[in-house]
Structures are given as structure tokens and as C-alpha cells.
Amino acid sequence: MYNNYGNLQTNWIQLAGDTLINREPNMNLKHKWEYEDGLMLSGMFQIFLASGDKKYFSYIKNNIDAYLDDDGNIDGYSFSEFNLDHINNGKILLDLFEQTHDLKYKKAADKLYNQLLEQPRTPEGTFWHKKIYPNQVWLDGLYMGSVFYGRYLSQFKSDNDLADVVHQFITAYNVTLDSKTGLCYHAYDAKKTQPWANTINGHSPHFWTRSIGWFVMAMVDVLEYIPASNPQRTDILNNLNNLLNALRKVADSKTNLWYQIPDEGDRPLNYLESSGSLMILTAIAKSIRLNYINKDDWLPFLLEGYKQALRQFISVTKENYVNVNKIAHVGGLGGPSKRDGSFAYYMSEPIVTNDHKGVGPFLLLICEMQHYL
């Protein structure tokens, strides 16, 4: 391994945390309320907990405070868009409220929770991904909306059994599952009318690594909030195990990482993609720690995958800044550009560096890996 790529003994927590403070004091130069920033800040919050250094907490607080007033109004947030992506940053609002007890964070979180109460649903009762994507379930949405949903209810609604939260996860898994591979498709159209949708089952044309990464991280996270008394908690746990096992079967055998289209790794143009791979490794690492999966079976796979992730995706500049490389910039379906979900589409999206969709899971992963190294 090249020295400037770092190694397993590198203090990645400090190096990556300091990189963001110094290189990106303002997390979003366009001042948009964007889900990937919440993902990055979730990683920074874990760095704060792992290190105990308050400078990381100050970074989080200062960046979120730039969007809030004292009444919890969120600059750039639109309730009427019914966009699950806009809910993701709510997890940070709850972190800040727990740490500071400042009511503006609770008031802002209340607004996001109230959106979920009115969020349109498919006939199965699953949240639409966005108002502009009617009757569509995207795997991303479980991480964006339903983890916050579960945490909010467990934190503020002691009489709620989280049945609807569980329903979101069970139905999303069922409507996107491919029974042959055990993988879940990127999206599902309940009406089966979208140009990208299979007219028989409503599935999008391909599996997409990052969408599955979002989903397995979401399942791992939400299990912390679902009480053992809920009989369907075991269903989510079983679905998590089944999906991770299916992912393991299509992982690149040389690296224990995943291609942009995970089940077609030998196809020209396909490439090892960092954000989805880092998300899946994060889900595996946290699942081992919380005994959701078997440690003896999974830990060797995780350790090799982490070592290879550092080699394949991470570089360090001469300024000692961490770069997360090989990130698929976006991946979606339909919309104004009529994204068709084809293999050619997923290969056509730009591959970028330091997008927070890749930085965030790297921060989460390095915090999880401290338990094993």
C-alpha cells in the first residue's frame, strides 16, 4: 500500500474530522438544505462521540444553526414538496437537541415529523419518495425518512409502538425484493406506469449499490429504536441478514467491495463505487457490534473490505487532507431528464471526489472500525 494512502493504523477519525473543519468550514456553499450534508454531519457526530473533542460538535452546530431561526423554521425547507430527502437532516436536529436542550432544534424536528404524518403513500402504505415521484418507493427514502421517524417517536412519543415505522421497512423490502438474487431493486412504481418500471412487478431495471447501501444502513439504524416487544422487529432483522448475505454473493472477490451495478461486475464500464461500498461496510460493522449478524462469519470479510476500501477509494493530500474518491455523483429515475434506469444511465453519471454521499459513510465507517482495530 502506498504510504500516502494511509493504512489501518492511521488515525482516520482525527484526520478526516480535521479535514472537514479546515477544508469545508461551510458545509454547503449554495446554502441548500440537502440530505448528503446530514449524512456527513451524522459521521461528524460519531467523530465527536469517539474523540470527545468539542470542536467537532461546534462544526456541526454552526453549520446547522445557519439554517434555523429561534422558532425552528428551516431556511430552504419546503413542507409542501413532501420530499423524504429533506427529512434526513432531522437526525442531526435530534442530536443537537439531546446535547443542548435548545428548543429550536426540537421545533425544527417537529416540522419534519409533521411532514411524515401527511406524506403521501402507495397502496401498500409506503411513503412516496417525493410528491413529484407519485406512487414510487426508492430504497434511499428509508434512510432519509423512516429512521428519523422511528427515532422521533421513540424519543418523544412513549405510547407509540412504532408499528408504522416497521411497516415502512417491511413493505419497502417486499415490493423491491428480487426473489432470485435476494437483492432489492433501486425503486418500485406501485402503478407500474413509469417509463422505467417493469409493467409486471413495477421494479426499476437494475440493482444499484448505493441504494442498497442506504437501505441496509437504515435497517441497522432503525433496529435501535424498535422495541423487542414488537413482533415484526425480527422480520426486519431477518431481512437485513438476507440482504447482506445476497450482497456478499455479488461482492468483488478480490476486494470485498461492490461495483456500481453490483451483480454485473464483469461488464465493461462498470466500476468499484465508493459510497455504496462504504455504506454496506458500515452496515456490516455496526451489525457485528450490535450482534445482528454473526461476528465469526462476517468479521474477516469486513476487515478485508475495509483494508481494500482504504486502498481503492481513499487518498491523502500533501496538506494532510483526506479525499474520498470514486463516488457516483447522483443516481435517480425519471424526472426532467427522463432517467431510464438502464446500465448505460448508471455508467453515464459523473464520478466525483469528496461528495458528502461518500464522505459521510466513510466517517461513519472509520468510527465503527475503531471497535475492531
Coordinates of all heavy atoms in Angstrom, one line a residue, residues 164-252:
D164 N -46.0 1.7 12.4 CA -46.0 2.3 11.1 C -44.5 2.4 10.6 O -44.3 2.2 9.4 CB -46.6 3.7 11.1 CG -46.8 4.2 9.6 OD1 -47.2 3.4 8.8 OD2 -46.5 5.4 9.4
V165 N -43.6 2.6 11.5 CA -42.2 2.6 11.1 C -41.8 1.2 10.6 O -41.2 1.1 9.5 CB -41.3 3.0 12.3 CG1 -39.8 3.0 11.9 CG2 -41.6 4.4 12.8
V166 N -42.1 0.2 11.4 CA -41.9 -1.1 10.9 C -42.5 -1.4 9.6 O -41.9 -2.0 8.7 CB -42.4 -2.1 12.0 CG1 -42.3 -3.6 11.5 CG2 -41.6 -2.0 13.3
H167 N -43.7 -0.9 9.4 CA -44.5 -1.2 8.2 C -43.7 -0.6 7.0 O -43.7 -1.2 5.9 CB -45.9 -0.5 8.3 CG -46.7 -0.8 7.1 ND1 -47.3 -2.0 6.8 CD2 -47.0 0.1 6.0 CE1 -48.0 -1.9 5.7 NE2 -47.9 -0.7 5.2
Q168 N -43.1 0.6 7.2 CA -42.3 1.2 6.1 C -41.2 0.3 5.6 O -41.0 0.1 4.4 CB -41.8 2.5 6.5 CG -42.8 3.6 6.9 CD -43.7 3.9 5.7 OE1 -43.3 4.1 4.6 NE2 -45.0 4.0 6.1
F169 N -40.5 -0.3 6.6 CA -39.4 -1.2 6.2 C -39.8 -2.5 5.7 O -39.2 -3.0 4.7 CB -38.5 -1.4 7.5 CG -37.6 -0.2 7.8 CD1 -38.0 0.9 8.5 CD2 -36.3 -0.2 7.3 CE1 -37.2 2.0 8.7 CE2 -35.4 0.8 7.5 CZ -35.9 1.9 8.2
I170 N -40.8 -3.1 6.2 CA -41.3 -4.4 5.7 C -41.8 -4.3 4.3 O -41.5 -5.1 3.4 CB -42.3 -5.0 6.6 CG1 -41.7 -5.2 8.0 CG2 -42.9 -6.3 6.1 CD1 -40.6 -6.2 8.1
T171 N -42.7 -3.3 4.1 CA -43.3 -3.1 2.7 C -42.2 -2.7 1.7 O -42.3 -3.2 0.6 CB -44.4 -2.1 2.8 OG1 -44.0 -0.9 3.3 CG2 -45.6 -2.6 3.6
A172 N -41.3 -1.8 2.1 CA -40.3 -1.4 1.1 C -39.4 -2.6 0.7 O -39.1 -2.8 -0.5 CB -39.4 -0.3 1.7
Y173 N -39.1 -3.5 1.6 CA -38.3 -4.7 1.3 C -39.1 -5.6 0.4 O -38.6 -6.1 -0.7 CB -38.0 -5.4 2.6 CG -37.2 -6.7 2.4 CD1 -35.8 -6.7 2.2 CD2 -37.8 -7.9 2.4 CE1 -35.1 -7.8 2.1 CE2 -37.1 -9.1 2.2 CZ -35.7 -9.0 2.1 OH -35.0 -10.2 1.9
N174 N -40.4 -5.8 0.7 CA -41.2 -6.7 -0.1 C -41.4 -6.3 -1.5 O -41.4 -7.1 -2.4 CB -42.6 -6.9 0.6 CG -42.4 -7.7 1.9 OD1 -41.4 -8.4 2.1 ND2 -43.4 -7.6 2.8
V175 N -41.7 -5.0 -1.7 CA -42.0 -4.5 -3.0 C -40.8 -4.3 -3.9 O -40.9 -4.3 -5.1 CB -42.8 -3.2 -3.0 CG1 -44.1 -3.4 -2.3 CG2 -42.0 -2.1 -2.4
T176 N -39.6 -4.3 -3.3 CA -38.4 -4.2 -4.2 C -37.6 -5.4 -4.3 O -36.6 -5.5 -5.1 CB -37.5 -3.1 -3.6 OG1 -37.1 -3.4 -2.2 CG2 -38.1 -1.7 -3.6
L177 N -37.9 -6.5 -3.5 CA -37.1 -7.7 -3.5 C -37.1 -8.5 -4.8 O -38.2 -8.7 -5.4 CB -37.6 -8.6 -2.3 CG -36.9 -9.9 -2.2 CD1 -35.4 -9.7 -1.7 CD2 -37.6 -10.8 -1.1
D178 N -36.0 -8.9 -5.2 CA -35.8 -9.9 -6.3 C -35.6 -11.3 -5.7 O -34.6 -11.5 -5.0 CB -34.7 -9.5 -7.2 CG -34.4 -10.6 -8.3 OD1 -35.3 -10.8 -9.1 OD2 -33.3 -11.2 -8.3
S179 N -36.6 -12.2 -5.9 CA -36.6 -13.5 -5.2 C -35.4 -14.3 -5.7 O -34.9 -15.2 -4.9 CB -37.9 -14.2 -5.4 OG -38.2 -14.4 -6.8
K180 N -34.9 -14.1 -6.9 CA -33.8 -14.9 -7.4 C -32.5 -14.6 -6.8 O -31.7 -15.5 -6.4 CB -33.7 -14.8 -8.9 CG -34.9 -15.3 -9.7 CD -34.7 -15.1 -11.2 CE -36.0 -15.7 -11.9 NZ -35.8 -15.5 -13.4
T181 N -32.2 -13.3 -6.6 CA -30.8 -12.9 -6.1 C -30.9 -12.6 -4.6 O -29.8 -12.6 -4.0 CB -30.3 -11.7 -6.9 OG1 -31.2 -10.6 -6.7 CG2 -30.2 -12.0 -8.4
G182 N -32.0 -12.2 -4.1 CA -32.1 -11.7 -2.8 C -31.8 -10.3 -2.6 O -31.8 -9.7 -1.5
L183 N -31.5 -9.6 -3.8 CA -31.2 -8.2 -3.8 C -32.4 -7.4 -3.9 O -33.5 -7.9 -4.3 CB -30.2 -7.9 -4.9 CG -28.8 -8.5 -4.9 CD1 -28.1 -8.3 -6.2 CD2 -28.0 -8.0 -3.7
C184 N -32.4 -6.1 -3.6 CA -33.5 -5.2 -3.7 C -33.3 -4.2 -4.8 O -32.2 -3.6 -4.9 CB -33.8 -4.5 -2.4 SG -34.4 -5.5 -1.1
Y185 N -34.3 -4.0 -5.7 CA -34.1 -3.0 -6.8 C -34.1 -1.6 -6.2 O -34.6 -1.3 -5.1 CB -35.3 -3.2 -7.8 CG -35.1 -4.4 -8.6 CD1 -35.7 -5.7 -8.3 CD2 -34.3 -4.4 -9.8 CE1 -35.6 -6.8 -9.1 CE2 -34.2 -5.5 -10.6 CZ -34.8 -6.7 -10.3 OH -34.6 -7.8 -11.1
H186 N -33.5 -0.7 -7.0 CA -33.4 0.7 -6.7 C -34.8 1.3 -6.3 O -34.9 2.0 -5.3 CB -32.8 1.4 -7.8 CG -32.5 2.9 -7.5 ND1 -31.8 3.7 -8.4 CD2 -32.8 3.7 -6.5 CE1 -31.7 4.9 -7.9 NE2 -32.3 4.9 -6.8
A187 N -35.8 1.0 -7.1 CA -37.1 1.6 -6.9 C -38.2 0.7 -7.3 O -38.0 -0.3 -8.0 CB -37.1 3.0 -7.6
Y188 N -39.4 1.1 -6.9 CA -40.7 0.4 -7.3 C -41.7 1.4 -7.6 O -41.9 2.4 -6.8 CB -41.1 -0.4 -6.0 CG -42.5 -0.9 -6.0 CD1 -43.0 -1.9 -6.8 CD2 -43.4 -0.3 -5.1 CE1 -44.3 -2.3 -6.7 CE2 -44.7 -0.7 -5.0 CZ -45.2 -1.7 -5.8 OH -46.5 -2.2 -5.8
D189 N -42.5 1.2 -8.6 CA -43.6 2.0 -9.0 C -44.9 1.2 -8.8 O -45.1 0.2 -9.5 CB -43.5 2.4 -10.5 CG -44.8 3.1 -11.0 OD1 -45.5 3.6 -10.2 OD2 -45.0 3.1 -12.3
A190 N -45.7 1.6 -7.8 CA -46.9 0.9 -7.4 C -47.9 0.8 -8.6 O -48.7 -0.1 -8.7 CB -47.5 1.5 -6.2
K191 N -47.9 1.8 -9.4 CA -48.9 1.9 -10.5 C -48.3 1.2 -11.8 O -49.1 1.0 -12.7 CB -49.3 3.3 -10.8 CG -50.0 4.0 -9.7 CD -51.3 3.3 -9.3 CE -52.0 4.1 -8.2 NZ -53.3 3.4 -7.8
K192 N -47.0 0.9 -11.8 CA -46.4 0.3 -12.9 C -46.5 1.0 -14.2 O -46.7 0.4 -15.3 CB -46.9 -1.2 -13.1 CG -46.8 -2.0 -11.8 CD -47.5 -3.4 -11.9 CE -47.4 -4.2 -10.7 NZ -48.1 -3.6 -9.5
T193 N -46.6 2.4 -14.1 CA -46.8 3.2 -15.3 C -45.6 4.0 -15.7 O -45.5 4.6 -16.8 CB -48.0 4.2 -15.1 OG1 -47.7 5.0 -13.9 CG2 -49.2 3.4 -14.9
Q194 N -44.6 4.1 -14.8 CA -43.4 4.9 -15.2 C -42.6 4.3 -16.3 O -42.6 3.0 -16.4 CB -42.5 5.0 -14.0 CG -43.0 5.9 -12.8 CD -43.3 7.3 -13.2 OE1 -42.5 7.9 -13.9 NE2 -44.4 7.8 -12.8
P195 N -42.0 5.1 -17.2 CA -41.3 4.5 -18.3 C -40.2 3.5 -17.9 O -39.8 2.6 -18.7 CB -40.7 5.7 -19.0 CG -41.6 6.9 -18.6 CD -42.1 6.5 -17.3
W196 N -39.6 3.7 -16.7 CA -38.5 2.9 -16.3 C -39.0 1.6 -15.6 O -38.3 0.7 -15.2 CB -37.6 3.6 -15.3 CG -38.3 4.3 -14.2 CD1 -38.6 5.7 -14.1 CD2 -38.7 3.8 -12.9 NE1 -39.2 6.0 -12.9 CE2 -39.3 4.8 -12.2 CE3 -38.7 2.5 -12.4 CZ2 -39.9 4.6 -10.9 CZ3 -39.3 2.3 -11.1 CH2 -39.9 3.4 -10.4
A197 N -40.3 1.5 -15.3 CA -40.9 0.4 -14.4 C -41.2 -0.8 -15.2 O -41.8 -0.7 -16.3 CB -42.1 0.9 -13.7
N198 N -40.9 -2.0 -14.7 CA -41.4 -3.2 -15.2 C -42.9 -3.3 -15.1 O -43.5 -3.0 -14.0 CB -40.7 -4.4 -14.4 CG -41.1 -5.7 -14.9 OD1 -42.2 -6.1 -15.0 ND2 -40.0 -6.5 -15.2
T199 N -43.5 -3.6 -16.2 CA -45.0 -3.5 -16.2 C -45.7 -4.6 -15.4 O -46.9 -4.6 -15.1 CB -45.5 -3.5 -17.6 OG1 -45.0 -4.7 -18.3 CG2 -45.1 -2.3 -18.4
I200 N -44.9 -5.6 -15.0 CA -45.5 -6.7 -14.3 C -45.3 -6.5 -12.7 O -46.3 -6.7 -12.0 CB -44.8 -8.1 -14.7 CG1 -45.1 -8.4 -16.1 CG2 -45.3 -9.2 -13.8 CD1 -44.4 -9.6 -16.7
N201 N -44.1 -6.1 -12.3 CA -43.8 -6.0 -10.9 C -43.5 -4.6 -10.4 O -43.3 -4.4 -9.2 CB -42.7 -7.0 -10.5 CG -41.5 -6.8 -11.3 OD1 -41.1 -5.7 -11.7 ND2 -40.8 -7.9 -11.5
G202 N -43.4 -3.7 -11.4 CA -43.1 -2.3 -11.0 C -41.6 -2.0 -10.7 O -41.3 -0.8 -10.3
H203 N -40.8 -3.0 -10.8 CA -39.4 -2.7 -10.4 C -38.6 -1.9 -11.4 O -38.9 -1.9 -12.6 CB -38.6 -4.1 -10.3 CG -39.1 -4.9 -9.1 ND1 -38.9 -6.3 -9.1 CD2 -39.7 -4.6 -8.0 CE1 -39.4 -6.8 -8.0 NE2 -39.9 -5.7 -7.3
S204 N -37.6 -1.1 -10.9 CA -36.7 -0.4 -11.8 C -35.8 -1.5 -12.5 O -35.7 -2.6 -12.0 CB -35.9 0.6 -11.0 OG -35.2 0.0 -10.0
P205 N -35.1 -1.1 -13.6 CA -34.4 -2.1 -14.3 C -33.2 -2.8 -13.6 O -32.8 -3.9 -14.0 CB -33.9 -1.4 -15.6 CG -34.8 -0.2 -15.7 CD -35.2 0.2 -14.3
H206 N -32.6 -2.1 -12.7 CA -31.3 -2.6 -12.1 C -31.3 -2.5 -10.6 O -32.0 -1.6 -10.0 CB -30.1 -1.8 -12.7 CG -29.7 -2.3 -14.1 ND1 -29.0 -3.4 -14.3 CD2 -30.0 -1.7 -15.3 CE1 -28.8 -3.6 -15.6 NE2 -29.4 -2.5 -16.2
F207 N -30.4 -3.3 -10.0 CA -30.0 -3.0 -8.6 C -28.9 -1.9 -8.7 O -28.1 -1.8 -9.7 CB -29.3 -4.3 -8.0 CG -30.2 -5.5 -8.2 CD1 -29.7 -6.6 -9.1 CD2 -31.4 -5.6 -7.6 CE1 -30.5 -7.7 -9.2 CE2 -32.2 -6.8 -7.7 CZ -31.7 -7.8 -8.6
W208 N -28.9 -1.1 -7.7 CA -27.9 0.0 -7.6 C -27.2 -0.1 -6.2 O -27.9 0.0 -5.2 CB -28.5 1.3 -7.9 CG -27.5 2.5 -7.9 CD1 -26.3 2.5 -8.4 CD2 -27.7 3.8 -7.3 NE1 -25.7 3.7 -8.2 CE2 -26.6 4.5 -7.5 CE3 -28.8 4.4 -6.6 CZ2 -26.4 5.8 -7.1 CZ3 -28.7 5.7 -6.2 CH2 -27.5 6.4 -6.4
T209 N -25.9 -0.2 -6.2 CA -25.2 -0.4 -5.0 C -25.5 0.7 -3.9 O -25.8 0.3 -2.7 CB -23.7 -0.5 -5.2 OG1 -23.4 -1.7 -5.9 CG2 -22.9 -0.4 -3.9
R210 N -25.5 1.9 -4.3 CA -25.7 2.9 -3.2 C -27.1 2.9 -2.7 O -27.3 3.1 -1.4 CB -25.4 4.4 -3.7 CG -25.5 5.4 -2.6 CD -24.8 6.7 -2.8 NE -25.4 7.5 -3.8 CZ -24.7 8.2 -4.7 NH1 -23.4 8.1 -4.8 NH2 -25.4 9.0 -5.5
S211 N -28.1 2.6 -3.5 CA -29.5 2.5 -3.0 C -29.6 1.4 -2.0 O -30.2 1.5 -0.9 CB -30.5 2.3 -4.1 OG -30.4 1.0 -4.7
I212 N -28.9 0.2 -2.2 CA -29.0 -0.9 -1.3 C -28.1 -0.5 0.0 O -28.5 -0.9 1.1 CB -28.4 -2.2 -1.9 CG1 -29.2 -2.5 -3.2 CG2 -28.5 -3.3 -0.9 CD1 -28.7 -3.7 -3.9
G213 N -27.1 0.3 -0.2 CA -26.3 0.8 0.9 C -27.1 1.6 1.8 O -27.1 1.5 3.1
W214 N -27.9 2.5 1.3 CA -28.8 3.3 2.1 C -29.7 2.4 2.9 O -30.0 2.7 4.1 CB -29.7 4.2 1.2 CG -29.1 5.4 0.5 CD1 -29.1 5.6 -0.9 CD2 -28.5 6.6 1.1 NE1 -28.5 6.8 -1.1 CE2 -28.1 7.4 0.0 CE3 -28.3 7.0 2.4 CZ2 -27.5 8.7 0.2 CZ3 -27.7 8.2 2.6 CH2 -27.3 9.1 1.5
F215 N -30.3 1.4 2.2 CA -31.3 0.6 2.8 C -30.7 -0.3 4.0 O -31.3 -0.4 5.1 CB -31.9 -0.3 1.8 CG -33.2 -1.0 2.2 CD1 -34.1 -0.4 3.1 CD2 -33.6 -2.2 1.6 CE1 -35.2 -1.1 3.5 CE2 -34.7 -2.9 2.0 CZ -35.6 -2.3 2.9
V216 N -29.6 -0.9 3.8 CA -29.0 -1.7 4.9 C -28.6 -0.8 6.0 O -28.7 -1.2 7.2 CB -27.9 -2.6 4.4 CG1 -28.4 -3.7 3.5 CG2 -26.7 -1.9 3.7
M217 N -28.0 0.4 5.8 CA -27.7 1.3 6.9 C -29.0 1.7 7.6 O -29.0 1.7 8.9 CB -27.0 2.5 6.4 CG -25.6 2.4 6.0 SD -24.7 4.0 6.1 CE -25.7 5.0 5.1
A218 N -30.1 1.9 6.9 CA -31.3 2.3 7.5 C -31.9 1.2 8.4 O -32.3 1.4 9.5 CB -32.3 2.6 6.5
M219 N -31.8 -0.1 7.9 CA -32.3 -1.2 8.8 C -31.5 -1.3 10.0 O -32.1 -1.5 11.1 CB -32.3 -2.5 8.0 CG -33.4 -2.5 6.9 SD -33.7 -4.2 6.2 CE -32.4 -4.2 5.0
V220 N -30.2 -1.2 9.9 CA -29.3 -1.3 11.1 C -29.7 -0.2 12.1 O -29.8 -0.4 13.3 CB -27.9 -1.3 10.7 CG1 -27.0 -1.3 12.0 CG2 -27.5 -2.5 9.9
D221 N -29.8 1.0 11.6 CA -30.1 2.2 12.5 C -31.4 2.1 13.1 O -31.6 2.3 14.3 CB -30.0 3.5 11.7 CG -28.5 3.9 11.3 OD1 -27.6 3.2 11.8 OD2 -28.4 4.8 10.5
V222 N -32.5 1.7 12.4 CA -33.8 1.8 13.0 C -34.0 0.7 14.0 O -34.9 0.8 14.9 CB -34.9 1.7 11.8 CG1 -35.2 0.2 11.4 CG2 -36.2 2.4 12.3
L223 N -33.3 -0.4 13.9 CA -33.5 -1.5 14.9 C -33.2 -1.0 16.3 O -33.7 -1.6 17.3 CB -32.6 -2.7 14.5 CG -33.1 -3.6 13.4 CD1 -31.9 -4.5 12.9 CD2 -34.3 -4.4 13.8
E224 N -32.4 0.0 16.4 CA -32.1 0.5 17.8 C -33.3 1.2 18.4 O -33.3 1.3 19.7 CB -30.9 1.6 17.7 CG -29.6 1.0 17.3 CD -28.5 2.0 17.4 OE1 -28.0 2.2 18.5 OE2 -28.1 2.6 16.4
Y225 N -34.3 1.6 17.6 CA -35.4 2.3 18.2 C -36.7 1.4 18.3 O -37.7 1.8 18.9 CB -35.7 3.5 17.3 CG -34.5 4.4 17.1 CD1 -34.0 4.6 15.8 CD2 -33.8 4.9 18.1 CE1 -32.9 5.3 15.6 CE2 -32.7 5.7 17.9 CZ -32.2 5.9 16.6 OH -31.1 6.6 16.4
I226 N -36.7 0.3 17.7 CA -37.8 -0.6 17.7 C -37.8 -1.5 18.9 O -36.8 -2.3 19.1 CB -37.9 -1.4 16.4 CG1 -38.1 -0.5 15.2 CG2 -39.1 -2.4 16.4 CD1 -38.0 -1.2 13.9
P227 N -38.8 -1.5 19.8 CA -38.7 -2.3 21.0 C -38.8 -3.8 20.7 O -39.4 -4.2 19.7 CB -39.9 -1.8 21.8 CG -40.8 -1.3 20.8 CD -40.0 -0.7 19.7
A228 N -38.1 -4.6 21.6 CA -38.1 -6.0 21.4 C -39.6 -6.6 21.4 O -39.8 -7.7 20.9 CB -37.3 -6.7 22.5
S229 N -40.5 -5.9 22.1 CA -41.8 -6.3 22.2 C -42.6 -6.3 20.8 O -43.6 -6.9 20.7 CB -42.6 -5.5 23.2 OG -42.6 -4.1 22.8
N230 N -42.0 -5.6 19.9 CA -42.7 -5.5 18.5 C -42.4 -6.8 17.8 O -41.2 -7.1 17.5 CB -42.2 -4.3 17.7 CG -43.0 -4.1 16.5 OD1 -43.1 -5.0 15.6 ND2 -43.5 -2.9 16.3
P231 N -43.4 -7.6 17.5 CA -43.2 -8.9 16.9 C -42.5 -8.9 15.5 O -41.9 -9.9 15.1 CB -44.6 -9.5 16.8 CG -45.5 -8.4 16.8 CD -44.9 -7.3 17.7
Q232 N -42.6 -7.7 14.8 CA -42.1 -7.6 13.5 C -40.6 -7.1 13.5 O -40.0 -7.0 12.4 CB -42.9 -6.8 12.6 CG -44.2 -7.4 12.1 CD -44.9 -6.6 11.0 OE1 -45.3 -5.5 11.3 NE2 -45.0 -7.2 9.9
R233 N -40.1 -6.8 14.6 CA -38.7 -6.5 14.7 C -37.8 -7.6 14.1 O -36.8 -7.3 13.4 CB -38.3 -6.1 16.1 CG -36.9 -5.6 16.3 CD -36.5 -5.3 17.7 NE -35.3 -4.6 17.9 CZ -34.1 -5.2 17.9 NH1 -34.0 -6.5 17.8 NH2 -33.0 -4.4 18.0
T234 N -38.2 -8.8 14.4 CA -37.4 -9.9 13.9 C -37.5 -10.0 12.4 O -36.5 -10.4 11.7 CB -38.0 -11.3 14.5 OG1 -37.9 -11.2 15.9 CG2 -37.2 -12.5 14.0
D235 N -38.6 -9.6 11.8 CA -38.7 -9.6 10.3 C -37.7 -8.6 9.7 O -37.0 -9.0 8.7 CB -40.1 -9.1 9.9 CG -41.2 -10.2 10.3 OD1 -40.8 -11.4 10.5 OD2 -42.3 -9.8 10.5
I236 N -37.5 -7.4 10.3 CA -36.5 -6.5 9.8 C -35.1 -7.1 10.0 O -34.3 -7.0 9.1 CB -36.6 -5.1 10.5 CG1 -37.9 -4.5 10.2 CG2 -35.5 -4.2 10.1 CD1 -38.2 -3.1 10.9
L237 N -34.9 -7.7 11.1 CA -33.6 -8.3 11.4 C -33.3 -9.4 10.3 O -32.2 -9.5 9.8 CB -33.5 -8.9 12.8 CG -32.2 -9.3 13.3 CD1 -31.1 -8.2 13.2 CD2 -32.3 -9.8 14.7
N238 N -34.3 -10.2 10.1 CA -34.1 -11.3 9.1 C -33.9 -10.7 7.7 O -33.0 -11.2 6.9 CB -35.3 -12.2 9.1 CG -35.4 -13.1 10.3 OD1 -34.4 -13.3 11.0 ND2 -36.6 -13.6 10.6
N239 N -34.6 -9.7 7.3 CA -34.5 -9.1 6.0 C -33.0 -8.5 5.9 O -32.4 -8.6 4.8 CB -35.5 -7.9 5.8 CG -36.9 -8.5 5.7 OD1 -37.1 -9.7 5.4 ND2 -37.9 -7.6 5.8
L240 N -32.6 -7.9 7.0 CA -31.2 -7.4 7.0 C -30.2 -8.5 6.7 O -29.3 -8.3 5.9 CB -30.9 -6.7 8.3 CG -29.5 -6.2 8.5 CD1 -29.0 -5.1 7.5 CD2 -29.3 -5.7 10.0
N241 N -30.3 -9.6 7.4 CA -29.4 -10.7 7.2 C -29.5 -11.2 5.8 O -28.4 -11.5 5.2 CB -29.7 -11.8 8.2 CG -29.0 -11.6 9.6 OD1 -27.9 -12.2 9.8 ND2 -29.5 -10.8 10.4
N242 N -30.7 -11.4 5.3 CA -30.8 -11.9 3.9 C -30.2 -11.0 2.9 O -29.6 -11.4 1.9 CB -32.3 -12.1 3.6 CG -32.9 -13.3 4.5 OD1 -32.2 -14.1 4.9 ND2 -34.2 -13.3 4.6
L243 N -30.4 -9.7 3.1 CA -29.9 -8.7 2.1 C -28.4 -8.6 2.2 O -27.7 -8.6 1.1 CB -30.5 -7.4 2.3 CG -30.3 -6.3 1.2 CD1 -30.5 -6.8 -0.2 CD2 -31.1 -5.1 1.5
L244 N -27.8 -8.7 3.4 CA -26.4 -8.7 3.5 C -25.8 -9.9 2.9 O -24.7 -9.9 2.2 CB -26.0 -8.5 4.9 CG -26.2 -7.1 5.6 CD1 -25.8 -7.2 7.0 CD2 -25.4 -6.1 4.8
N245 N -26.4 -11.1 3.1 CA -25.9 -12.3 2.5 C -26.0 -12.3 1.0 O -25.0 -12.7 0.3 CB -26.7 -13.5 3.0 CG -26.3 -13.9 4.4 OD1 -25.2 -13.7 4.9 ND2 -27.3 -14.3 5.2
A246 N -27.0 -11.7 0.4 CA -27.1 -11.5 -1.0 C -26.0 -10.6 -1.5 O -25.5 -10.8 -2.6 CB -28.5 -11.0 -1.4
L247 N -25.8 -9.5 -0.8 CA -24.7 -8.6 -1.2 C -23.3 -9.3 -1.2 O -22.5 -9.0 -2.0 CB -24.7 -7.4 -0.3 CG -25.8 -6.3 -0.5 CD1 -25.9 -5.4 0.7 CD2 -25.5 -5.6 -1.8
R248 N -23.1 -10.1 -0.2 CA -21.8 -10.8 -0.1 C -21.6 -11.7 -1.3 O -20.5 -11.8 -1.8 CB -21.8 -11.6 1.2 CG -20.5 -12.2 1.5 CD -20.5 -12.8 2.9 NE -19.2 -13.4 3.3 CZ -18.9 -13.8 4.5 NH1 -19.7 -13.6 5.5 NH2 -17.7 -14.4 4.7
K249 N -22.7 -12.3 -1.8 CA -22.5 -13.1 -3.0 C -22.1 -12.4 -4.3 O -21.5 -13.0 -5.1 CB -23.8 -13.9 -3.3 CG -24.2 -14.9 -2.2 CD -25.5 -15.6 -2.5 CE -25.9 -16.5 -1.4 NZ -27.2 -17.2 -1.6
V250 N -22.4 -11.1 -4.4 CA -22.1 -10.3 -5.6 C -20.9 -9.4 -5.3 O -20.5 -8.6 -6.2 CB -23.3 -9.5 -6.1 CG1 -24.4 -10.5 -6.6 CG2 -23.8 -8.6 -5.1
A251 N -20.3 -9.4 -4.1 CA -19.2 -8.6 -3.8 C -18.0 -9.0 -4.7 O -17.9 -10.2 -5.1 CB -18.8 -8.7 -2.4
D252 N -17.1 -8.0 -5.1 CA -15.9 -8.4 -5.8 C -15.1 -9.3 -5.0 O -14.7 -8.9 -3.9 CB -15.2 -7.0 -6.2 CG -13.9 -7.3 -6.8 OD1 -13.9 -8.0 -7.9 OD2 -12.9 -6.8 -6.3

